[in-house]
């Protein structure tokens, strides 16, 4: 009975989710993972000329446990895959990933045995930023797209659905 009061799309739950999403949307903490020339463009987006701070992302975190947006900029070799996967796994939920540049998206011009042909083969990607090298405006646009995804998220409903599944399973 108590669960039924919180589940669904009631006014209280909807407004509480809006409040949570409003806070999460305006404070994405990016984890920069620049491995090649795209990393320079990512640094440029963080500098005062483009000023990612106006989106609330002025605090790049170099600890995966304190970040919720992974910005992977550059080429990933197959040797780096376990490290990239570990960093992604260490990030707290909810988390989002931006693949910046042609090399991160598809391997770019490096069709070699040692280059990963797109990071989506290892971790899920939310937004792709094309280009070689991509422009800082592209990263800002990707950040806006991530913020739109955060705004449409339903964090409480997911928790209540998981709780309901636990009740149904007898846990």
């Amino acid at each position: 009975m108590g669960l039924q009061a919180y589940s669904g799309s009631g006014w209280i739950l909807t407004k509480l989710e809006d409040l949570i999403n409003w806070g999460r949307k305006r404070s994405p903490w990016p984890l920069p993972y620049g491995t090649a020339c795209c990393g320079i463009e990512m640094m440029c987006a963080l500098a005062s000329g483009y000023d990612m701070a106006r989106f609330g992302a002025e605090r790049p975190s170099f600890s995966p446990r304190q970040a919720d947006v992974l910005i992977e900029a550059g080429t990933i070799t197959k040797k780096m895959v376990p490290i990239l996967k570990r960093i992604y796994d260490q990030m707290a939920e909810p988390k989002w990933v931006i693949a910046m540049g042609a090399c991160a998206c598809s391997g770019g011009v490096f069709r070699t045995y040692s280059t990963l042909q797109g990071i989506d083969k290892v971790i899920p990607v939310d937004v792709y930023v094309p280009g070689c090298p991509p422009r800082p405006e592209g990263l800002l646009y990707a950040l806006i797209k991530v913020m739109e995804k955060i705004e449409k998220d339903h964090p409480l409903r997911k928790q209540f659905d998981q709780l309901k599944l636990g009740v149904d399973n007898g846990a």
Side-chain angles (χ1 to χ4, degrees), residues 21-42:
N21 289 343
W22 180 84
R24 287 176 21 193
K25 177 183 169 186
R26 281 158 179 79
S27 61
W29 285 6
L31 172 70
Y33 193 87
T35 58
C37 48
C38 298
I40 303 295
E41 299 295 328
M42 178 177 57

Tab-separated table of all heavy atoms in Angstrom, residues 21-42:
chain	number	residue	atom	x	y	z
A	21	ASN	N	16.464	16.366	-10.561
A	21	ASN	CA	17.069	16.528	-11.889
A	21	ASN	C	17.577	17.946	-12.101
A	21	ASN	O	18.592	18.150	-12.779
A	21	ASN	CB	16.068	16.156	-12.977
A	21	ASN	CG	15.820	14.667	-13.025
A	21	ASN	OD1	16.598	13.894	-12.491
A	21	ASN	ND2	14.732	14.278	-13.651
A	22	TRP	N	16.892	18.937	-11.548
A	22	TRP	CA	17.343	20.322	-11.667
A	22	TRP	C	18.725	20.467	-11.028
A	22	TRP	O	19.619	21.089	-11.585
A	22	TRP	CB	16.325	21.245	-10.997
A	22	TRP	CG	16.700	22.682	-11.057
A	22	TRP	CD1	16.466	23.543	-12.094
A	22	TRP	CD2	17.388	23.429	-10.052
A	22	TRP	NE1	16.979	24.779	-11.784
A	22	TRP	CE2	17.548	24.744	-10.532
A	22	TRP	CE3	17.876	23.117	-8.797
A	22	TRP	CZ2	18.167	25.725	-9.794
A	22	TRP	CZ3	18.494	24.100	-8.064
A	22	TRP	CH2	18.638	25.391	-8.572
A	23	GLY	N	18.894	19.885	-9.852
A	23	GLY	CA	20.185	19.956	-9.170
A	23	GLY	C	21.261	19.175	-9.888
A	23	GLY	O	22.400	19.640	-10.023
A	24	ARG	N	20.918	17.979	-10.375
A	24	ARG	CA	21.911	17.157	-11.069
A	24	ARG	C	22.300	17.768	-12.400
A	24	ARG	O	23.453	17.703	-12.824
A	24	ARG	CB	21.368	15.739	-11.288
A	24	ARG	CG	21.328	14.953	-10.024
A	24	ARG	CD	20.721	13.586	-10.130
A	24	ARG	NE	20.684	13.029	-11.455
A	24	ARG	CZ	19.977	11.974	-11.784
A	24	ARG	NH1	19.252	11.360	-10.871
A	24	ARG	NH2	19.986	11.515	-12.989
A	25	LYS	N	21.315	18.379	-13.068
A	25	LYS	CA	21.574	18.965	-14.381
A	25	LYS	C	22.538	20.137	-14.294
A	25	LYS	O	23.369	20.333	-15.165
A	25	LYS	CB	20.244	19.436	-14.981
A	25	LYS	CG	20.348	20.135	-16.300
A	25	LYS	CD	19.005	20.619	-16.751
A	25	LYS	CE	19.149	21.546	-17.925
A	25	LYS	NZ	17.891	22.159	-18.306
A	26	ARG	N	22.464	20.894	-13.249
A	26	ARG	CA	23.271	22.107	-13.145
A	26	ARG	C	24.608	21.903	-12.446
A	26	ARG	O	25.307	22.866	-12.173
A	26	ARG	CB	22.465	23.187	-12.452
A	26	ARG	CG	21.497	23.809	-13.435
A	26	ARG	CD	20.341	24.469	-12.787
A	26	ARG	NE	19.470	25.066	-13.765
A	26	ARG	CZ	18.582	24.402	-14.485
A	26	ARG	NH1	18.452	23.104	-14.347
A	26	ARG	NH2	17.811	25.010	-15.356
A	27	SER	N	24.954	20.668	-12.181
A	27	SER	CA	26.254	20.429	-11.552
A	27	SER	C	26.900	19.133	-12.042
A	27	SER	O	27.223	18.268	-11.243
A	27	SER	CB	26.099	20.386	-10.039
A	27	SER	OG	25.233	19.328	-9.682
A	28	PRO	N	27.059	18.993	-13.365
A	28	PRO	CA	27.784	17.798	-13.824
A	28	PRO	C	29.270	17.930	-13.498
A	28	PRO	O	29.856	18.991	-13.715
A	28	PRO	CB	27.540	17.803	-15.340
A	28	PRO	CG	27.302	19.224	-15.676
A	28	PRO	CD	26.669	19.853	-14.461
A	29	TRP	N	29.832	16.893	-12.952
A	29	TRP	CA	31.256	16.899	-12.615
A	29	TRP	C	31.968	16.003	-13.607
A	29	TRP	O	31.915	14.776	-13.501
A	29	TRP	CB	31.469	16.401	-11.197
A	29	TRP	CG	31.080	17.405	-10.163
A	29	TRP	CD1	30.482	18.609	-10.375
A	29	TRP	CD2	31.264	17.288	-8.756
A	29	TRP	NE1	30.282	19.245	-9.184
A	29	TRP	CE2	30.750	18.466	-8.180
A	29	TRP	CE3	31.806	16.316	-7.945
A	29	TRP	CZ2	30.767	18.681	-6.823
A	29	TRP	CZ3	31.827	16.537	-6.588
A	29	TRP	CH2	31.318	17.709	-6.032
A	30	PRO	N	32.655	16.614	-14.577
A	30	PRO	CA	33.300	15.794	-15.611
A	30	PRO	C	34.627	15.190	-15.139
A	30	PRO	O	35.351	15.778	-14.341
A	30	PRO	CB	33.528	16.797	-16.744
A	30	PRO	CG	33.602	18.114	-16.088
A	30	PRO	CD	32.744	18.038	-14.848
A	31	LEU	N	34.891	14.021	-15.640
A	31	LEU	CA	36.180	13.363	-15.463
A	31	LEU	C	36.880	13.404	-16.815
A	31	LEU	O	36.496	12.675	-17.731
A	31	LEU	CB	36.000	11.920	-15.007
A	31	LEU	CG	37.268	11.069	-14.969
A	31	LEU	CD1	38.181	11.535	-13.851
A	31	LEU	CD2	36.939	9.618	-14.788
A	32	PRO	N	37.882	14.286	-16.994
A	32	PRO	CA	38.560	14.350	-18.292
A	32	PRO	C	39.497	13.168	-18.475
A	32	PRO	O	40.284	12.845	-17.588
A	32	PRO	CB	39.331	15.674	-18.211
A	32	PRO	CG	39.481	15.962	-16.769
A	32	PRO	CD	38.367	15.274	-16.050
A	33	TYR	N	39.386	12.516	-19.608
A	33	TYR	CA	40.251	11.384	-19.938
A	33	TYR	C	40.797	11.653	-21.338
A	33	TYR	O	40.354	11.080	-22.315
A	33	TYR	CB	39.439	10.082	-19.875
A	33	TYR	CG	40.277	8.833	-19.883
A	33	TYR	CD1	40.768	8.302	-18.714
A	33	TYR	CD2	40.558	8.167	-21.061
A	33	TYR	CE1	41.527	7.148	-18.716
A	33	TYR	CE2	41.312	7.006	-21.082
A	33	TYR	CZ	41.789	6.508	-19.902
A	33	TYR	OH	42.545	5.364	-19.905
A	34	GLY	N	41.732	12.569	-21.409
A	34	GLY	CA	42.312	12.970	-22.688
A	34	GLY	C	43.546	12.165	-22.988
A	34	GLY	O	44.481	12.144	-22.192
A	35	THR	N	43.553	11.493	-24.111
A	35	THR	CA	44.676	10.635	-24.455
A	35	THR	C	45.424	11.100	-25.695
A	35	THR	O	46.474	10.555	-26.001
A	35	THR	CB	44.204	9.196	-24.691
A	35	THR	OG1	43.235	9.213	-25.737
A	35	THR	CG2	43.614	8.606	-23.431
A	36	ALA	N	44.893	12.055	-26.421
A	36	ALA	CA	45.545	12.464	-27.670
A	36	ALA	C	45.206	13.928	-27.944
A	36	ALA	O	44.848	14.665	-27.033
A	36	ALA	CB	45.099	11.558	-28.809
A	37	CYS	N	45.277	14.309	-29.201
A	37	CYS	CA	45.081	15.706	-29.565
A	37	CYS	C	43.693	16.218	-29.176
A	37	CYS	O	43.519	17.415	-28.927
A	37	CYS	CB	45.332	15.901	-31.056
A	37	CYS	SG	44.507	14.707	-32.094
A	38	CYS	N	42.706	15.359	-29.091
A	38	CYS	CA	41.372	15.789	-28.669
A	38	CYS	C	41.403	16.304	-27.234
A	38	CYS	O	40.568	17.123	-26.844
A	38	CYS	CB	40.376	14.641	-28.766
A	38	CYS	SG	40.172	14.027	-30.427
A	39	GLY	N	42.345	15.832	-26.455
A	39	GLY	CA	42.488	16.306	-25.078
A	39	GLY	C	42.835	17.788	-25.032
A	39	GLY	O	42.415	18.498	-24.119
A	40	ILE	N	43.586	18.262	-26.023
A	40	ILE	CA	43.916	19.687	-26.089
A	40	ILE	C	42.638	20.501	-26.325
A	40	ILE	O	42.424	21.543	-25.716
A	40	ILE	CB	44.943	19.956	-27.215
A	40	ILE	CG1	46.202	19.115	-27.005
A	40	ILE	CG2	45.271	21.432	-27.307
A	40	ILE	CD1	46.993	19.447	-25.780
A	41	GLU	N	41.793	19.988	-27.213
A	41	GLU	CA	40.522	20.684	-27.467
A	41	GLU	C	39.632	20.658	-26.229
A	41	GLU	O	38.912	21.616	-25.949
A	41	GLU	CB	39.799	20.038	-28.659
A	41	GLU	CG	40.581	20.088	-29.946
A	41	GLU	CD	40.805	21.507	-30.457
A	41	GLU	OE1	39.938	22.364	-30.235
A	41	GLU	OE2	41.856	21.737	-31.076
A	42	MET	N	39.680	19.564	-25.488
A	42	MET	CA	38.902	19.482	-24.246
A	42	MET	C	39.419	20.515	-23.242
A	42	MET	O	38.621	21.181	-22.580
A	42	MET	CB	38.993	18.067	-23.669
A	42	MET	CG	38.264	17.878	-22.369
A	42	MET	SD	38.332	16.190	-21.765
A	42	MET	CE	40.075	15.894	-21.677
